[in-house]
Amino acid sequence: MLPKSNFAKGALIVVASAVTSEIVYWVYLLFWDKAWKKYGTKKQTQCDNVVTEVIFFPDDKIACKAHFASEDGCENKMCRFTHEANSLSRLYGYLTSAKTSLDVSVFVITCTDLADLLIEAHKRGVLVRVITDDEQVDITGSQIWKLRSAGINVRTDQSSYNMHHKFVVVDKMFLLNGSFNWTRQAITGNQENLMIINSSKIVSLYLGEFEKLWQNFDPKNRNGTSFQKRNF
Ligand SMILES: *[C@@H]1O[C@H](CO)[C@@H](O)[C@H](O)[C@H]1NC(C)=O
Ligand SMILES: *[C@@H]1O[C@H](CO)[C@@H](O)[C@H](O)[C@H]1NC(C)=O
Ligand SMILES: *[C@@H]1O[C@H](CO)[C@@H](O)[C@H](O)[C@H]1NC(C)=O
Ligand SMILES: *[C@@H]1O[C@H](CO)[C@@H](O)[C@H](O)[C@H]1NC(C)=O
Ligand SMILES: [Zn+2]
C-alpha cells in the first residue's frame, strides 16, 4: 500500500517537474527571444550609430584647405599642402558639412585654416558660436580676434582655470570630441584623437553644457554690468 502510493507520488513528482521545467524553458525562450529582439538588436544598432568615426593625429602633412574645402579646388600648381585625404581633411569635411549651426568649444584656436572654415561657415549663414579660454585669446597666432572681426560671437571664461574643452557640435546633430587643440602642433606633431559621436542623447548633454557656458560667459552676465542692468 504504502510503497505503491509512494511510487505514485514519485511518478507524479517526476512528471510534474518535467512539465514544469518544460514550461519554464518555453517561457524563458519566449521572453529571452523578446528581450533579445528588444534590447539586443537595439543595443547593437546604438553601438553601430553612436561612434561614427575616430580620427587620429598627427598627420604627416597639412591637408590643403583649398583642395578639400572650396568649390574651385586648389589652383596652386606649386601647392605645398597635401591633396591626399588625411585626418585634417576629414575634419574639414565635418566643418564644411555644417548647414545651420557650429557650436565650438575649444581651448586654443591658432590654426588659420580651421578658423577660416568657421568664417566661411558664418558667411554662408551658419550660426557659429565659439567658446574659448580667456588666457588663450591673445597668444601668438590666436585666431580669436579674426573670428570676432568677421562677426562671429566668441565668449570666454573669466578665470585662471582653463576652459579646457575641445569639442564641436555640428548642426545640433553630431559631436566631435577629443584631445584635439586647433593648432598646427596638434595637427602635425601631437598624438591626438577626435571621436565623431552621433547620438542625440550625448549630443544634447554637450549642447546643454555649451548653452550653460554660453550664458555664464555672456559679458552681460558679468558682475558690474548685471548690477547696472538691475538699475535700468
Ligand atoms: C572626449 O574627449 C576626451 C579627450 O580625448 C576624452 O577624455 C573624453 O572621454 C571624451 N568624451 C567622450 C564622451 O567621448
Ligand atoms: C594646446 O595648444 C597649445 C599651443 O600649441 C599648447 O601650448 C597647449 O599645451 C595645448 N594644450 C593641450 C591641452 O593640448
Ligand atoms: C547622424 O545621424 C543622422 C540621422 O541618422 C544622419 O542623418 C547623419 O548623416 C549622421 N551624421 C554623421 C556625421 O554620422
Ligand atoms: C563678482 O565676481 C567676483 C569674482 O568672480 C565675486 O567674488 C563677486 O562676489 C562678484 N560680485 C557680484 C556683485 O556678483
Ligand atoms: Zn593645394
Side-chain angles (χ1 to χ4, degrees):
M1 219 41 174
L2 212 73
K4 218 177 174 184
S5 157
N6 263 356
F7 178 77
K9 265 191 196 166
L12 194 69
I13 287 170
V14 168
V15 170
S17 51
V19 169
T20 310
S21 66
E22 192 73 357
I23 290 171
V24 167
Y25 175 66
W26 283 105
V27 167
Y28 166 80
L29 270 192
L30 189 72
F31 278 89
W32 172 251
D33 199 41
K34 272 196 181 161
W36 187 81
K37 278 198 182 114
K38 192 173 168 195
Y39 302 108
T41 44
K42 194 172 171 206
K43 207 170 162 193
Q44 216 175 334
T45 329
Q46 273 179 352
C47 284
D48 286 345
N49 288 342
V50 168
V51 177
T52 311
E53 186 181 359
V54 186
I55 299 175
F56 296 104
F57 292 90
D59 282 338
D60 292 339
K61 291 178 187 154
I62 291 182
C64 175
K65 178 175 156 290
H67 178 74
F68 288 103
S70 74
E71 280 181 12
D72 299 336
C74 179
E75 283 160 357
N76 183 354
K77 291 213 167 66
M78 307 288 286
C79 181
R80 62 200 172 94
F81 302 110
T82 184
H83 289 186
E84 274 170 39
N86 60 13
S87 298
L88 183 62
S89 71
R90 296 293 303 153
L91 177 56
Y92 289 162
Y94 284 112
L95 295 179
T96 48
S97 77
K99 292 190 177 67
T100 56
S101 66
L102 279 170
D103 294 316
V104 181
S105 185
V106 174
F107 179 54
V108 187
I109 304 181
T110 54
C111 174
T112 48
D113 290 339
L114 292 174
D116 288 344
L117 281 186
L118 294 183
I119 292 171
E120 285 158 25
H122 170 75
K123 283 184 184 154
R124 64 174 189 272
V126 174
L127 177 61
V128 181
R129 298 187 293 176
V130 177
I131 295 177
T132 191
D133 189 84
D134 57 343
E135 283 146 57
Q136 306 300 324
V137 168
D138 294 318
I139 62 166
T140 314
S142 170
Q143 298 293 300
I144 297 306
W145 291 105
K146 193 169 88 182
L147 294 176
R148 281 183 168 148
S149 55
I152 293 175
N153 207 342
V154 182
R155 293 184 183 174
T156 66
D157 63 328
Q158 293 291 308
S159 82
S160 55
Y161 293 110
N162 291 334
M163 200 315 293
H164 212 230
H165 288 310
K166 293 168 199 75
F167 71 84
V168 197
V169 178
V170 180
D171 291 342
K172 315 259 183 243
M173 200 203 306
F174 58 90
L175 165 76
L176 282 72
N177 169 61
S179 58
F180 184 69
N181 248 343
W182 287 18
T183 64
R184 280 283 164 102
Q185 189 192 318
I187 296 167
T188 53
N190 299 348
Q191 262 79 46
E192 310 269 6
N193 71 82
L194 205 49
M195 220 189 253
I196 291 82
I197 296 165
N198 197 354
S199 142
S200 53
K201 176 125 192 252
I202 295 173
V203 166
S204 69
L205 293 172
Y206 274 79
L207 279 176
E209 186 64 16
F210 188 94
E211 291 300 338
K212 191 188 93 188
L213 295 181
W214 191 251
Q215 295 314 317
N216 286 353
F217 299 159
D218 184 345
K220 278 191 230 110
N221 293 339
R222 265 175 223 149
N223 278 348
T225 340
S226 58
F227 178 69
Q228 273 177 6
K229 233 169 106 188
R230 252 179 268 140
N231 285 343
F232 286 155

